Amino acid sequence: MKMTKMVCAAGLLACAGTFLSCMSTGTSNTKVERIEASQVQDLSGYWNDKDVQIVCEGLINECVASPRISQFSAKHNRAPIVKLGKITNNSVEKIDTVIVANKFRSAIINNGVMEFVASDDEVAAIRNERNQQEDYANPSTAAAQGNETGADYLLQGSIRTLVDEIDGKKTRTYYVNAELHDIETTKILWSSENSIRKFIKTK
């Protein structure tokens, strides 16, 4: 009887070891393949990275081509300075608006027609650092207060979706709106909307 118990215990230990080994090495059939960032992969039909790129770059290219931008540059002999405001997600799905905002900003900076200043969240961190320097850094190396660059324009936007579905067929349309506001006068200097429509078949 004692020998039988020992054999059973040894068997249980062996099974436990095999189980732990499988968990540590992974026994699923998951396969990961790296693809080019430019390659389009529409798996679910939902908003994805390619949609962000297409919509944001299209809107910004249209924005910087606006006559208002060239008129400002001619009048002031410099590029207008833009601050990124809020990108609101009013769609039926969860969309990371930070990614959209960063795409907007990158497109503006890379275009070179307009310049950019930090957003509110970034400014808060920068001001905190400047205040810390004022208290603790060598005065000869501390950043001075009162020298922030004021923005001329505020860029804001929103994302909405419209879904139509019947018998396993669905169209999902994303509408991305962007507006450029004159901070001093509150005038809307430019406004446009870009959309992407997807057809999804589940049967």
Side-chain angles (χ1 to χ4, degrees):
M1 178 66 70
K2 185 174 181 181
M3 180 63 69
T4 302
K5 289 183 177 180
M6 290 178 64
V7 170
C8 290
L12 289 173
L13 287 173
C15 289
T18 303
F19 176 73
L20 291 173
S21 176
C22 289
M23 287 192 65
S24 62
T25 58
T27 58
S28 69
N29 294 322
T30 301
K31 183 180 179 181
V32 178
E33 179 184 357
R34 279 175 172 69
I35 61 175
E36 294 293 330
S38 58
Q39 185 176 340
V40 180
Q41 287 285 333
D42 272 311
L43 301 178
S44 64
Y46 287 102
W47 179 262
N48 60 34
D49 57 334
K50 194 61 178 179
D51 300 329
V52 177
Q53 180 183 347
I54 293 172
V55 169
C56 293
E57 290 184 358
L59 282 172
I60 294 305
N61 288 338
E62 184 180 337
C63 176
V64 298
S66 170
R68 297 289 181 90
I69 304 303
S70 56
Q71 289 170 6
F72 180 97
S73 299
K75 180 179 179 181
H76 299 278
N77 197 30
R78 64 173 176 84
I81 298 170
V82 183
K83 184 174 185 177
L84 187 60
K86 196 169 185 180
I87 307 296
T88 307
N89 178 24
N90 297 319
S91 71
V92 295
E93 65 187 79
K94 185 177 180 179
I95 293 178
D96 190 341
T97 56
V98 174
I99 296 175
V100 178
N102 288 340
K103 280 289 184 183
F104 272 138
R105 180 160 61 179
S106 296
I108 288 177
I109 293 173
N110 293 337
N111 190 283
V113 176
M114 296 188 287
E115 295 183 358
F116 227 98
V117 293
S119 65
D120 286 341
D121 290 340
E122 294 165 329
V123 164
I126 293 170
R127 287 174 180 169
N128 180 65
E129 171 60 24
R130 196 165 56 237
N131 291 334
Q132 294 288 333
Q133 289 187 14
E134 188 175 37
D135 291 335
Y136 302 108
N138 188 309
S140 64
T141 62
Q145 300 280 12
N147 287 330
E148 292 183 12
T149 300
D152 303 298
Y153 300 147
L154 184 68
L155 179 66
Q156 300 188 106
S158 63
I159 306 169
R160 291 175 170 81
T161 54
L162 183 63
V163 179
D164 188 20
E165 181 177 9
I166 187 172
D167 295 333
K169 298 176 183 178
K170 180 186 300 183
T171 58
R172 183 181 287 114
T173 309
Y174 296 89
Y175 299 92
V176 182
N177 172 263
E179 294 182 346
L180 198 64
H181 298 253
D182 186 310
I183 294 177
E184 184 174 345
T185 66
T186 71
K187 290 181 179 179
I188 300 176
L189 301 180
W190 168 84
S191 177
S192 187
E193 184 176 81
N194 203 344
S195 63
I196 288 181
R197 178 173 295 173
K198 297 185 178 186
F199 175 73
I200 305 119
K201 189 176 181 180
T202 56
K203 287 185 179 180

